[in-house]
């Protein structure tokens, strides 16, 4: 991790940043999600969020790959499709890493799984979200990326608030090989602050790609891979 990044400072910046004005579609999604999982943020709730988070990236990756196979003679189109496809793969891997970390934390705490994480409900949710992501990307790729930026903005805030609600995580050391492979963290609070910052990176990149560069939140040590 970049030495310039101060995770506590960035968490505070997330909490203090004025809220984004979400679109009607995003608000509807967040309300429905809260109705299903409850308004309080829990490890289970963010686990479900991570299961869904990779879905649009997969939809874009497949579409861009199809485009590359069709339009290999058009350099400009290819370069844009390639850029989105490469990032979608990276972001998917990153979301999957978040999912594994949450699963490990839940297993370590021996928490009882709620009904909304039963295999059938998860399958239905993933299927519906996949359908939604596919249809939106087909209708308008730009709109689909904007929706993802809102999803990621919401995820960044949820993690930042979640860490505040659990001061005991400041004392819990990160010792598992999986967590250590993600990075060097003093405790679970810092690890989840890093997850929140990953969501900000996804948010920023999405805003950049849907021509809303004004909404990109810059910070010391942020990835410099927008071009
Ligand atoms: Fe994530
Ligand atoms: Fe994300």
């Amino acid at each position: 991790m970049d030495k310039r990044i101060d995770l506590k400072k960035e968490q505070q910046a997330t909490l203090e940043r004025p809220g984004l004005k979400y679109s009607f579609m995003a608000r509807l999604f967040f309300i429905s999600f809260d109705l299903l999982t409850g308004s309080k943020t829990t490890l289970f709730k963010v686990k479900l969020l991570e299961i869904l988070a990779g879905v649009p990236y997969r939809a874009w990756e497949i579409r861009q790959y199809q485009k590359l196979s069709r339009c290999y003679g058009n350099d400009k189109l290819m370069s844009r499709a390639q850029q989105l496809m490469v990032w979608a793969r990276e972001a998917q891997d990153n979301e999957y890493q978040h999912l594994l970390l949450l699963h490990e934390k839940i297993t370590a705490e021996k928490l009882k799984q709620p009904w909304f994480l039963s295999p059938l409900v998860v399958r239905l949710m993933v299927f519906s979200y996949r359908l939604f992501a596919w249809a939106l990307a087909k209708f308008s790729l730009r709109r689909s990326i904007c929706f993802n930026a809102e999803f990621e903005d919401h995820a960044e805030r949820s993690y930042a608030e979640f860490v505040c609600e659990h001061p005991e995580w400041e004392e819990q050391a990160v010792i598992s090989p999986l967590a250590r492979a993600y990075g060097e963290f003093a405790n679970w609070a810092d690890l989840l602050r890093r997850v929140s910052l990953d969501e900000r990176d996804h948010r920023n990149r999405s805003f950049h790609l849907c021509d809303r560069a004004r909404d990109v939140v810059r910070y010391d040590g942020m990835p410099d891979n927008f071009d």
Side-chain angles (χ1 to χ4, degrees):
M1 189 174 66
D2 193 306
K3 295 259 185 304
R4 286 170 295 169
I5 298 175
D6 179 337
L7 291 171
K8 281 190 181 165
K9 183 180 144 208
E10 295 311 329
Q11 178 196 14
Q12 204 50 38
T14 302
L15 295 170
E16 287 171 5
R17 196 171 70 226
L20 199 65
K21 197 173 181 305
Y22 292 132
S23 63
F24 173 74
M25 201 160 46
R27 272 182 287 144
L28 193 66
F29 177 85
F30 301 141
I31 290 169
S32 312
F33 195 73
D34 279 357
L35 282 174
L36 182 81
T37 60
S39 55
K40 193 173 161 19
T41 304
T42 63
L43 286 168
F44 295 115
K45 188 171 173 173
V46 286
K47 183 179 174 185
L48 183 58
L49 206 66
E50 293 297 350
I51 292 171
L52 298 181
V55 169
Y57 295 113
R58 268 194 291 285
W60 301 339
E61 184 201 348
I62 294 166
R63 275 184 64 80
Q64 298 315 301
Y65 201 78
Q66 286 168 341
K67 200 182 272 182
L68 283 173
S69 318
R70 275 197 320 267
C71 312
Y72 47 82
N74 184 332
D75 289 351
K76 198 175 166 207
L77 208 67
M78 260 180 64
S79 149
R80 203 173 148 79
Q82 179 111 25
Q83 189 193 25
L84 180 55
M85 188 185 71
V86 169
W87 175 60
R89 283 179 177 164
E90 277 171 24
Q92 252 178 94
D93 289 345
N94 189 233
E95 301 293 14
Y96 183 61
Q97 212 170 14
H98 295 169
L99 175 62
L100 293 181
L101 291 165
L102 289 167
H103 180 67
E104 186 172 73
K105 180 94 182 104
I106 288 169
T107 308
E109 295 202 1
K110 298 189 173 70
L111 300 172
K112 192 173 173 293
Q113 184 167 276
W115 68 273
F116 61 77
L117 278 180
S118 64
L120 183 66
V121 177
V122 170
R123 264 187 205 197
L124 277 171
M125 287 280 294
V126 171
F127 178 73
S128 315
Y129 195 51
R130 195 184 291 162
L131 215 58
F132 167 75
W134 177 83
L136 193 57
K138 183 129 184 97
F139 170 69
S140 161
L141 182 61
R142 185 181 172 276
R143 190 68 206 89
S144 162
I145 299 174
C146 276
F147 179 85
N148 191 62
E150 295 176 302
F151 179 104
E152 297 288 6
D153 178 88
H154 188 265
E156 179 198 348
R157 283 173 193 282
S158 299
Y159 277 112
E161 289 164 4
F162 197 27
V163 171
C164 283
E165 290 161 12
H166 290 273
E168 72 278 12
W169 290 342
E170 307 285 350
E171 311 298 327
Q172 291 176 5
V174 176
I175 45 172
S176 81
L178 181 72
R180 292 180 76 86
Y182 179 57
E184 287 287 324
F185 300 99
N187 49 55
W188 271 91
D190 270 359
L191 184 146
L192 290 166
R193 284 185 183 106
R194 179 61 250 186
V195 172
S196 175
L197 205 53
D198 285 348
E199 309 304 8
R200 190 195 293 175
D201 291 341
H202 299 160
R203 166 204 189 280
N204 279 345
R205 186 68 186 248
S206 299
F207 274 132
H208 176 77
L209 286 170
C210 70
D211 304 324
R212 281 177 60 178
R214 66 185 181 279
D215 287 310
V216 170
V217 175
R218 301 208 160 262
Y219 62 94
D220 285 343
M222 72 184 279
D224 188 22
N225 57 356
F226 281 2
D227 300 309

